[in-house]
Amino acid sequence: MLWILFLTGTISFSMAETLSLAIVDAPKEVKRLLKAVDQDRDQKITVNDNQKGKALEFTLDGKTVQGVYPLSNLLQELKLAEEAKSETIYADKIFENPVHRISRSIKERFWDGLTRRIDKYNLKNVLGDSKVDSNGNRYLYVPYTDNEALEYYLKASAELPELKLKVVRLPEIVTGEYVRDLKLQHGLLALGLRKNENGEVEGVPYVVPGGRFNEMYGWDSYFEALGLLNDGRVDLARSMVDNFVYEITHYGKILNANRTYYLTRSQPPFLTSMIRAVLEHLPKGPETKAWLTTSLKAAIKEYHSVWMGAERLTPTGLSRYSGNAPGIPPEVEPGHFNHVLSPLAKKHKLSIKEFEKRYNDGKIKEPELDRFLRHDRAVRESGHDTTYRWRVNDQDLCADFVTVDLNSLLYKFELDLAHLIQHEFSGSFDNLKSENFRTLARDRKERILKYLWNPQKKMFFDYNVNLGSNSLFVSATTLYPLWAHDPALPDTKILSDADAKELIENALKELETNGGVAATSKISSDLYGDKKHARQWEWPNGWAPHQLLIWEGLKNYGYESDAERLTYKWVYMITRNAMDYNGTVPEKYDVVKRSHAVFAEYGNVGTNFSYITREGFGWMNASYQVGLKDLKPESVKLLEKLVPPEWVDFK
């Protein structure tokens, strides 16, 4: 291994002489620092401010600080001092090792910045939604089956008239037509309430992804929980499971997220994995047993009613993503569907806006558009919104595919249910036997190998039920089956060691990049995609959930050095990017350029802040903490010295 020390800046006095800088007026110093250093006036200090090639510097308390990284830290520390009304800044924070600083920020600040509760003390903070127009009003919807919550929120609304909050009880049966007809009345969906140690009612806390995603999301929450557990936030991770149990109990499924426009669709199923992860950190006893009983009942209900229900189960015996509902999804960016709506609007001699209104009102019938939107909603339920992965003859047909990712997750779901019933309930639970779910898992494994494994190409591919063939589009999800097994039962691995070896070699040859694993291969994206319209779940972009599952999957099959290399690449990229860009920890990366400058569809959440980031991005935070913990000590030492991955021998 190569060892190199990368200097991150200088200061004009010895650290042994003093560890503090005195400040008299923090707000004034913030303005003075930005005026002196922030050349592009974005209220951050980044490498973009060093365009003239001259070392950036600033003098405070008679001491001169030089370099982008320490100056960006100085800006952050000044802002924190301003908020704390402190007159001192410590130099060790200005020159803190970037690895330590990022990890500490996530643990001490970011998780709290992303935590929400839906109760009278926090309503103002959670009700806003930048994704849809509610005509200036605030709406909170309560499930038909939760009378106590309805009473609580009606009382809270009366006590807080300044919020102009409308509390609405959902109908007993929520249809797609009901959701469509809400139009300018979309709002937040209630989650769990509980009594605290003082007997006061409070919202059950949860973590949001960040930025414009100010609600609890389906699959984000599993990865966030891994980060929380890593950082000792067991109660918060457990509370997120409790909120998912609430959603299944009262809304019938784990929702895409708790907003009204998500009522008809779910997201990738990780609940049992989340339960098992939390359970490992809970003490044995009656309280934990009761929690597990409630959680397990909800998971079984979701499994049967959602993923094995008629809407998602196909004749192959494997499941697909769905989320069917009429109308245009209201949360999409304005103009997102113009390429589809424009020719239909011309056909009816209407503007796009008027056509959209009449279509959503049910006054215009367009089966072609109905079909397009059905597949679009399936893509959104997949969490991979959007990608060219399900492109067939220039059409996106997600709902026609049983996918590698979904069925790998359901295989793990079945194994988890079998494991929990066997080990926590002596093999029998609620009239179900652990062997029932082992049988379902064995059957799914056979079907995964029959329909999704390509023995010629030695990779997994999604299967088009209508065409009766694989897609041959290479996605990072081809590696999901390596993750999907029960660690306690080696025979539950989907692939043989020989096939796994070929899968890993073939997949990484197409997917591995400078910063980790790309969402799709360049070959597939070039072949199926449209270069004029980049999509965010495509090459060259990489996403945290893929990395976390792939690292674990590689280790499951003994490929420790590959997992170490990919983990190091990812964590190094986050570290270097945060150093250069004022602590930025974004939603996703261009993993080829190792950059958060991703120009596709919705931008990059977690990059829009001033002075200091308060939250990073949920699953990116988790990937950093988990990745850092998983790295070998010698790799961490190299990372702390900012040694690029291409200079490291991981054998």
Side-chain angles (χ1 to χ4, degrees):
M1 292 188 175
L2 298 174
W3 294 71
I4 287 189
L5 176 63
F6 283 75
L7 297 178
T8 57
T10 60
I11 195 164
S12 65
F13 66 99
S14 168
M15 296 287 280
E17 294 174 8
T18 178
L19 289 175
S20 64
L21 299 174
I23 49 176
V24 177
D25 187 338
K28 181 179 178 180
E29 296 297 351
V30 167
K31 291 178 182 177
R32 194 167 69 86
L33 173 59
L34 289 174
K35 184 177 180 180
V37 178
D38 181 22
Q39 296 177 9
D40 59 6
R41 300 294 180 251
D42 65 352
Q43 296 180 307
K44 298 177 228 178
I45 298 174
T46 73
V47 291
N48 295 336
D49 294 313
N50 204 15
Q51 297 168 358
K52 296 179 181 179
K54 183 181 178 182
L56 301 179
E57 63 180 38
F58 181 77
T59 300
L60 179 67
D61 190 21
K63 312 299 188 298
T64 299
V65 180
Q66 291 184 336
V68 169
Y69 174 65
L71 285 169
S72 70
N73 289 347
L74 176 59
L75 174 62
Q76 296 169 49
E77 294 302 318
L78 279 170
K79 199 64 184 173
L80 292 172
E82 176 185 336
E83 293 168 2
K85 301 188 185 318
S86 172
E87 296 181 352
T88 304
I89 289 179
Y90 293 95
D92 58 340
K93 294 289 179 64
I94 299 172
F95 279 87
E96 187 174 12
N97 185 280
V99 175
H100 302 166
R101 184 175 181 85
I102 296 165
S103 182
R104 181 179 61 80
S105 296
I106 291 169
K107 186 174 183 178
E108 295 179 1
R109 192 169 72 244
F110 290 5
W111 292 131
D112 288 336
L114 293 170
T115 300
R116 305 284 186 272
R117 296 175 188 265
I118 307 177
D119 56 32
K120 67 180 181 180
Y121 307 105
N122 296 281
L123 283 171
K124 185 177 181 180
N125 191 34
V126 298
L127 287 170
D129 185 1
S130 64
K131 296 181 290 301
V132 297
D133 181 7
S134 296
N135 216 17
N137 294 312
R138 293 184 173 97
Y139 292 90
L140 175 63
Y141 288 79
V142 182
Y144 182 86
T145 47
D146 194 348
N147 291 324
E148 290 183 7
L150 180 65
E151 182 180 345
Y152 173 83
Y153 290 119
L154 285 172
K155 184 178 178 182
S157 176
E159 292 175 358
L160 301 166
E162 67 276 11
L163 291 182
K164 298 181 180 178
L165 173 63
K166 297 181 184 298
V167 178
V168 183
R169 186 183 191 182
L170 287 171
E172 186 172 7
I173 299 175
V174 175
T175 64
E177 288 74 17
Y178 171 81
V179 176
R180 176 197 64 192
D181 293 342
L182 287 174
K183 294 186 174 62
L184 294 177
Q185 297 179 349
H186 282 288
L188 189 70
L189 296 169
L191 293 176
L193 294 169
R194 68 186 184 192
K195 287 188 177 180
N196 61 25
E197 60 274 10
N198 298 320
E200 299 171 328
V201 175
E202 65 179 13
V204 176
Y206 57 95
V207 170
V208 303
R212 69 193 187 102
F213 301 114
N214 189 35
E215 50 273 305
M216 183 178 178
Y217 277 78
W219 72 321
D220 292 68
S221 296
Y222 169 63
F223 301 103
E224 291 159 358
L226 295 181
L228 291 168
L229 293 170
N230 182 86
D231 288 344
R233 305 292 294 272
V234 178
D235 288 346
L236 186 50
R238 172 178 167 165
S239 292
M240 293 172 76
V241 172
D242 294 341
N243 275 316
F244 278 155
V245 170
Y246 183 92
E247 287 189 347
I248 294 169
T249 302
H250 295 286
Y251 301 117
K253 62 177 75 68
I254 287 178
L255 302 170
N256 188 149
N258 60 311
R259 299 277 178 190
T260 47
Y261 45 79
Y262 292 137
L263 276 164
T264 62
R265 64 180 188 259
S266 186
Q267 276 206 318
F270 283 96
L271 180 57
T272 55
S273 294
M274 201 168 171
I275 291 170
R276 287 186 69 173
V278 172
L279 184 63
E280 289 179 9
H281 293 78
L282 296 180
K284 294 287 185 182
E287 183 184 346
T288 296
K289 194 65 170 280
W291 175 83
L292 180 60
T293 299
T294 302
S295 301
L296 196 55
K297 284 183 178 180
I300 292 170
K301 177 183 177 181
E302 182 196 33
Y303 172 80
H304 286 299
S305 63
V306 178
W307 301 109
M308 298 299 286
E311 186 179 335
R312 292 171 178 81
L313 186 63
T314 72
T316 64
L318 298 176
S319 298
R320 64 182 173 190
Y321 293 113
S322 186
N324 197 20
I328 297 170
E331 79 278 10
V332 299
E333 299 286 324
H336 185 79
F337 292 127
N338 280 2
H339 65 293
V340 175
L341 300 178
S342 180
L344 294 173
K346 288 180 181 177
K347 170 184 166 183
H348 290 273
K349 298 180 180 179
L350 296 169
S351 67
I352 292 177
K353 185 176 182 180
E354 183 61 24
F355 171 81
E356 187 174 344
K357 182 178 183 302
R358 293 193 187 186
Y359 174 76
N360 281 339
D361 287 341
K363 295 177 181 177
I364 291 178
K365 304 295 182 183
E366 279 292 347
E368 178 187 345
L369 183 54
D370 294 344
R371 182 169 176 266
F372 168 83
L373 292 172
R374 175 172 178 257
H375 290 291
D376 179 81
R377 280 186 165 85
V379 172
R380 296 174 190 284
E381 182 168 89
S382 80
H384 293 77
D385 48 329
T386 63
T387 172
Y388 287 108
R389 185 170 141 206
W390 300 294
R391 195 82 157 162
V392 180
N393 297 326
D394 294 326
Q395 296 183 73
D396 297 311
L397 304 177
C398 179
D400 287 350
F401 287 88
V402 291
T403 70
V404 177
D405 46 321
L406 176 57
N407 288 284
S408 297
L409 298 180
L410 290 175
Y411 176 65
K412 174 71 159 48
F413 208 106
E414 290 157 346
L415 291 175
D416 288 339
L417 292 176
H419 175 93
L420 290 168
I421 292 172
Q422 179 65 43
H423 292 276
E424 303 296 335
F425 296 94
S426 302
S428 180
F429 178 83
D430 212 19
N431 297 319
L432 292 168
K433 305 290 185 183
S434 59
E435 188 57 36
N436 298 145
F437 290 104
R438 284 202 191 92
T439 300
L440 288 168
R442 282 193 291 267
D443 181 62
R444 189 177 300 275
K445 176 180 174 179
E446 291 176 5
R447 293 171 188 270
I448 286 173
L449 291 171
K450 177 181 178 180
Y451 291 105
L452 306 179
W453 175 248
N454 187 306
Q456 287 74 44
K457 293 190 174 291
K458 295 292 183 180
M459 281 197 281
F460 288 99
F461 297 98
D462 301 328
Y463 181 84
N464 189 313
V465 176
N466 289 345
L467 297 180
S469 61
N470 292 121
S471 70
L472 302 185
F473 189 106
V474 179
S475 162
T477 57
T478 192
L479 293 163
Y480 271 44
L482 301 179
W483 172 83
H485 85 296
D486 186 340
L489 299 171
D491 65 339
T492 58
K493 290 181 179 178
I494 292 176
L495 282 181
S496 67
D497 288 343
D499 282 339
K501 181 176 184 295
E502 294 204 63
L503 166 64
I504 292 166
E505 290 176 354
N506 294 336
L508 293 186
K509 190 191 313 178
E510 294 205 40
L511 295 167
E512 184 174 354
T513 70
N514 297 322
V517 176
T520 63
S521 81
K522 186 176 189 303
I523 295 171
S524 292
S525 291
D526 287 348
L527 183 62
Y528 291 89
D530 181 349
K531 293 182 180 179
K532 294 180 181 178
H533 301 95
R535 292 183 173 178
Q536 61 178 359
W537 286 87
E538 288 285 328
W539 176 283
N541 302 328
W543 293 78
H546 289 165
Q547 319 304 315
L548 285 159
L549 296 181
I550 290 168
W551 300 340
E552 195 65 29
L554 289 169
K555 287 185 284 188
N556 287 342
Y557 282 80
Y559 289 83
E560 301 282 348
S561 62
D562 290 298
E564 184 83 359
R565 182 181 71 254
L566 293 175
T567 304
Y568 190 96
K569 283 185 171 187
W570 182 257
V571 178
Y572 173 85
M573 176 178 62
I574 297 173
T575 304
R576 185 76 249 186
N577 194 86
M579 279 185 62
D580 290 345
Y581 292 95
N582 210 116
T584 296
V585 180
E587 175 190 24
K588 55 185 175 281
Y589 284 100
D590 177 329
V591 287
V592 176
K593 295 180 179 178
R594 290 199 290 231
S595 170
H596 74 265
V598 176
F599 303 104
E601 297 185 303
Y602 306 109
N604 203 351
V605 181
T607 61
N608 185 23
F609 62 89
S610 299
Y611 312 115
I612 182 172
T613 178
R614 310 288 176 172
E615 53 189 30
F617 193 86
W619 60 26
M620 194 65 73
N621 299 340
S623 71
Y624 194 83
Q625 299 298 72
V626 172
L628 195 58
K629 182 181 179 181
D630 285 353
L631 286 173
K632 296 175 182 176
E634 54 265 36
S635 293
V636 174
K637 289 179 181 178
L638 290 174
L639 184 66
E640 290 170 346
K641 296 176 184 295
L642 298 177
V643 178
E646 53 268 27
W647 293 5
V648 179
D649 181 3
F650 292 99
K651 293 180 181 178

